Amino acid sequence: MTQILVLQTSARREGSASRQHTDQLVQALSGQHADARIVTRELGIEPLPHLDEILLGGWTKPAEAQTEAERQAAARSAELIEELLASDIVVIGSAMYNFGITSTLKAWLDHVLAAGKTFRYTENGPIGLAGDRKVYVVAARGGRYQGSPLDHQEPYLRTALGFIGISDVVFVYVEGQAMGEAEAAKGRAEAEEAIKRVAA
Ligand SMILES: Cc1cc2nc3c(=O)[nH]c(=O)nc-3n(C[C@H](O)[C@H](O)[C@H](O)COP(=O)(O)O)c2cc1C
């Protein structure tokens, strides 16, 4: 079985470019894996709690000293990590909000970048423990940012995923979504072509 973890981050249910093209890419990938099992997290619609004192307590206190809230927060984080580690492919529908990823995707990363589970510190620096999977990112933006220093979506995601050992990261861009109808349609058409290429 090939597990595909899908992370949707747009706050929009309707008209979301990242959602539409993520679905398209997942469909194409499922076609290649007859045994595909799709697991979806609607991070933009049902956000995870931010990393807070309770989760830190759940991570760091011994079990007997944890409050019930801390125990539950640590269990949620463990479930998200297990889900990631059980996945062969991760597809992230990443809407750009204020030059970067959504806070809801950042919250997911805060839950899964966990010492001893997805990375560990060594005397030579940190080592990623989650490298054995491929990640696709469908990055939707109002403007056009590919290769520009204003794009904090791609470099940040490459850094955060690289930190846990994931270096096989492929980006599909859906650009120009707030630049008028013609530019938005051009951005969508480019994304469709890119999806055909990367899923080939
Ligand atoms: C709160 C908010 C902030 C945004 N910030 C940016 C931005 O900094 N740069 C940009 O190009 N587009 C920005 N946009 C436009 C979105 O990136 C664009 O609409 C994209 O298509 C969103 O993904 P979605 O269609 O999947 O919802 C923003 C949109 C919203 C709602």
Side-chain angles (χ1 to χ4, degrees), residues 28-105:
L29 294 172
S30 311
Q32 293 171 5
H33 302 277
D35 61 345
R37 172 172 185 253
I38 316 287
V39 175
T40 301
R41 286 262 167 198
E42 286 287 352
L43 301 177
I45 305 287
E46 296 161 23
L48 294 165
H50 281 150
L51 194 162
D52 58 8
E53 191 181 21
I54 296 171
L55 178 55
L56 287 179
W59 274 347
T60 55
K61 287 186 190 173
E64 63 279 8
Q66 286 173 5
T67 64
E68 181 52 23
E70 287 168 342
R71 195 194 60 72
Q72 281 180 16
R76 183 189 294 111
S77 163
E79 183 193 339
L80 293 163
I81 291 166
E82 271 167 38
E83 193 170 82
L84 169 65
L85 295 179
S87 301
D88 306 283
I89 299 172
V90 181
V91 185
I92 305 176
S94 179
M96 177 185 274
Y97 288 169
N98 302 316
F99 305 102
I101 63 170
T102 63
S103 59
T104 53
L105 179 55

Side-chain angles (χ1 to χ4, degrees), residues 76-181:
R76 183 189 294 111
S77 163
E79 183 193 339
L80 293 163
I81 291 166
E82 271 167 38
E83 193 170 82
L84 169 65
L85 295 179
S87 301
D88 306 283
I89 299 172
V90 181
V91 185
I92 305 176
S94 179
M96 177 185 274
Y97 288 169
N98 302 316
F99 305 102
I101 63 170
T102 63
S103 59
T104 53
L105 179 55
K106 176 63 165 56
W108 179 83
L109 288 164
D110 287 342
H111 281 79
V112 303
L113 267 61
K117 293 183 177 151
T118 53
F119 72 92
R120 70 186 164 84
Y121 292 112
T122 74
E123 55 199 20
N124 299 316
I127 293 182
L129 303 174
D132 206 13
R133 55 204 32 81
K134 183 169 185 132
V135 174
Y136 295 89
V137 180
V138 177
R141 298 93 181 270
R144 285 197 167 263
Y145 293 90
Q146 239 182 106
S148 124
L150 293 180
D151 177 1
H152 298 281
Q153 225 174 349
E154 173 170 352
Y156 174 72
L157 281 173
R158 285 197 188 279
T159 300
L161 295 168
F163 184 68
I164 57 172
I166 305 176
S167 56
D168 192 356
V169 184
V170 173
F171 275 78
V172 168
Y173 302 95
V174 198
E175 298 207 289
Q177 294 308 294
M179 294 174 68
E181 242 172 69

